[in-house]
Amino acid sequence: MPPESPSAVLFDMDGTLLDSEPLWLIAETNTMQVMGCDWDQNDQEHCLGGPVVRVVAYMRSKLSTRAADQFDNSWVEAYLMAQVLNQYGRGDIPWMPGARDLVASARALNLPLALVTNSPRAIVEGAHRGIIADLGYDPFGVLVVGDEVGNTKPHPEPFQTAATRLGATPNDCLAVEDSPTGVLAAIAAGCHVIAIEHLALLTEFSAASRIKSLAGHSFDSLWKLATTN
């Protein structure tokens, strides 16, 4: 039986807490245009949740043989990351609906939070600073980022690492995700999972409780949904 409340909550970042997926779409589109290829929301959805190495591999798979020879993995990753950083630096990134109030409520509950993302440290740091500036404090006890783990999502390691660093076990944690990649990782780690159907339909994940938005939810309501699924 799970406890009455989670020991910790493990949040994905892009598309779960922050409305940053449109920025990734711009950056990905710009990158592909430079290489002479189109990119649309279907491509973004295919890559949703990363990691960056998988996005780069998919981008290069769409190129002509000549373009693929010209733009190797290192070039594509460097250009894409520069484009993402440029988009992130244009201003504050909006919260997803309900996310700010939910994160802020954890402080009064003494509920440990972690940020668990496939995005690399260079991308996460700017977004993290914006969250701190907005709330006036750092809500996260732990940040687990994509270029600092041995295995990225969909491997369970990022969620297992976050839980361990917070002194919790994954099966006592609530994980909140919005991508198939992230949901797979959280389920494999043994977390109780809330799957937000933001860009991708997540109907194939019977072990996760699906919602459309965090708006109107509390940690109590999310935990009840996740543990009675």
Side-chain angles (χ1 to χ4, degrees):
M1 289 288 292
E4 291 186 2
S5 59
S7 297
V9 182
L10 318 177
F11 281 108
D12 175 53
M13 184 177 77
D14 296 300
T16 297
L17 288 183
L18 299 181
D19 191 12
S20 47
E21 294 296 354
L23 305 182
W24 276 89
L25 179 58
I26 294 170
E28 290 160 350
T29 302
N30 290 347
T31 301
M32 292 300 284
Q33 285 178 345
V34 166
M35 296 187 290
C37 195
D38 292 333
W39 187 266
D40 60 27
Q41 192 163 327
N42 289 327
D43 295 307
Q44 183 188 32
E45 290 178 11
H46 180 84
C47 295
L48 196 64
V52 173
V53 65
R54 181 162 65 84
V55 179
V56 169
Y58 178 75
M59 284 181 155
R60 294 188 71 246
S61 76
K62 290 174 63 68
L63 302 179
S64 66
T65 301
R66 181 178 179 181
D69 290 340
Q70 181 180 356
F71 302 107
D72 63 14
N73 287 336
S74 296
W75 188 94
V76 176
E77 181 172 342
Y79 194 91
L80 175 62
M81 290 299 95
Q83 288 293 311
V84 174
L85 284 169
N86 179 55
Q87 292 300 318
Y88 272 53
R90 290 178 177 270
D92 294 337
I93 303 171
W95 292 88
M96 292 296 292
R100 187 188 190 280
D101 289 345
L102 188 65
V103 169
S105 72
R107 199 175 198 187
L109 299 171
N110 292 317
L111 180 59
L113 306 182
L115 194 64
V116 186
T117 175
N118 270 347
S119 291
R121 173 70 65 173
I123 301 299
V124 175
E125 282 185 342
H128 186 215
R129 285 194 298 270
I131 289 172
I132 294 170
D134 183 35
L135 293 177
Y137 64 93
D138 187 353
F140 303 111
V142 166
L143 267 68
V144 177
V145 300
D147 54 350
E148 295 177 5
V149 291
N151 299 284
T152 55
K153 306 173 194 174
H155 195 279
E157 181 183 341
F159 285 105
Q160 292 168 337
T161 299
T164 298
R165 291 181 184 174
L166 289 175
T169 57
N171 59 0
D172 289 338
C173 291
L174 177 68
V176 187
E177 272 284 356
D178 77 310
S179 72
T181 300
V183 172
L184 277 170
I187 292 172
C191 300
H192 298 280
V193 184
I194 292 292
I196 305 171
E197 294 182 314
H198 167 47
L199 288 178
L201 292 178
L202 302 168
T203 53
E204 68 269 35
F205 299 107
S206 60
S209 296
R210 302 189 309 276
I211 60 174
K212 293 298 184 183
S213 169
L214 292 173
H217 280 287
S218 65
F219 287 113
D220 182 59
S221 68
L222 293 175
W223 185 245
K224 285 178 180 177
L225 280 172
T227 56
T228 56
N229 178 52

